[in-house]
Amino acid sequence: MDIGLVTVLFTALGVGGATLLGSIIGFIFKNPSHKVHDAILSFAAGVMLCAAVVGLIVPSLEYNGDWGILVTIVGVLAGALVITIIDRFVPHLHRLAGTDIERRPNENTSLSKVMLFVIAIAIHNLPEGIAAGVGFGTGDMLYALTIAGGIALQNIPEGMVIISPMIAAGVSKTRAFLLALATGVIEIVGTLLGYFFVNISTVILPFVLAFAGGTMLYVISDEMIPETHAHGNEKIATFTLLLGFCVMLAVDFFLG
């Protein structure tokens, strides 16, 4: 088997497995503090922000010809538009925060709302997984792994917050675990799809790279940052985001 494909397979398992790891942590620590959750998520946002720009959008420009900037801009906007359409029908974390189901469940929590919450995470995991797989199309293994790492890091707190509301709504621990596993499997599928997609046709690689970068920028701006700034931890969230961004820059500088 090709060494690159093996790396992608293990990366896909890592990205999807991060959600499962988060759910296990969720079983152990049923109500982790907002401060810890926001710090982890913000650090992941910083890593993803740098990786999206330097690892996906800039390479998109480099692969393009005379119309490079136009293709890249269209790709970024198209990626953001697709996630916007998904959000229109299936809201994600911060849009469901008003129901307070993801952080402080109670006996009156509606099972239908909880399942909507889980389905929303699962649907959003597909394009996030695709972005992780597309990163390998650049041929830069370091950046591909870093992009995937940022997405995986984001999946840990996401996996943590889906457990408590399911259990509070009456879902058995076994079923809650299996549902968390399913959301991770979807991300594994997305990662493999992204990898095979860019390898089928390198002609569309610049657009696909920009598209993946656009999806990541949208998720960071519309979902991750609002979520980390909603609980009074804005300063911690801001500085951990900057820390994640700087860590990514340092990785690029020393290993690039």
Side-chain angles (χ1 to χ4, degrees):
M1 184 179 290
D2 181 74
I3 186 65
L5 180 57
V6 172
T7 303
V8 173
L9 286 172
F10 276 104
T11 301
L13 290 173
V15 170
T19 301
L20 192 59
L21 174 62
S23 68
I24 293 173
I25 295 173
F27 276 116
I28 299 173
F29 304 100
K30 293 183 175 58
N31 287 300
S33 69
H34 279 304
K35 185 176 293 186
V36 172
H37 172 269
D38 293 343
I40 295 173
L41 196 58
S42 292
F43 183 85
V47 172
M48 289 172 65
L49 179 60
C50 187
V53 175
V54 183
L56 291 171
I57 295 174
V58 171
S60 171
L61 287 170
E62 294 173 348
Y63 277 99
N64 276 315
D66 295 337
W67 292 93
I69 185 63
L70 180 60
V71 172
T72 298
I73 289 174
V74 171
V76 169
L77 295 177
L81 180 62
V82 167
I83 304 298
T84 301
I85 293 171
I86 292 175
D87 267 354
R88 179 73 176 84
F89 297 99
V90 187
H92 201 27
L93 288 177
H94 72 285
R95 301 199 190 284
L96 291 170
T99 65
D100 212 21
I101 64 171
E102 83 279 15
R103 301 296 300 154
R104 300 189 182 281
N106 55 61
E107 293 180 359
N108 295 321
T109 300
S110 167
L111 180 58
S112 62
K113 287 182 178 179
V114 171
M115 297 315 297
L116 173 63
F117 177 60
V118 174
I119 291 170
I121 290 177
I123 291 177
H124 281 76
N125 278 356
L126 183 61
E128 288 174 13
I130 290 174
V134 165
F136 288 94
T138 65
D140 189 330
M141 190 67 71
L142 173 62
Y143 259 111
L145 291 174
T146 306
I147 291 167
I151 294 173
L153 189 60
Q154 181 233 187
N155 287 342
I156 294 176
E158 199 165 79
M160 290 166 60
V161 302
I162 67 176
I163 294 300
S164 291
M166 284 195 287
I167 293 176
V171 178
S172 68
K173 290 184 178 181
T174 300
R175 189 182 177 197
F177 180 80
L178 291 175
L179 286 170
L181 176 62
T183 65
V185 169
I186 288 174
E187 196 136 19
I188 293 174
V189 172
T191 303
L192 296 176
L193 283 176
Y195 172 74
F196 287 116
F197 193 59
V198 296
N199 277 276
I200 290 174
S201 175
T202 56
V203 174
I204 61 172
L205 179 60
F207 175 82
V208 175
L209 289 173
F211 182 93
T215 63
M216 290 177 67
L217 290 179
Y218 182 95
V219 169
I220 293 165
S221 177
D222 191 66
E223 298 175 4
M224 297 175 74
I225 292 177
E227 172 67 15
T228 59
H229 284 233
H231 315 117
N233 301 313
E234 295 88 347
K235 295 299 182 184
I236 293 175
T238 297
F239 279 100
T240 49
L241 183 148
L242 291 172
L243 178 62
F245 190 91
C246 291
V247 166
M248 180 63 198
L249 283 180
V251 169
D252 177 52
F253 179 81
F254 288 111
L255 300 180

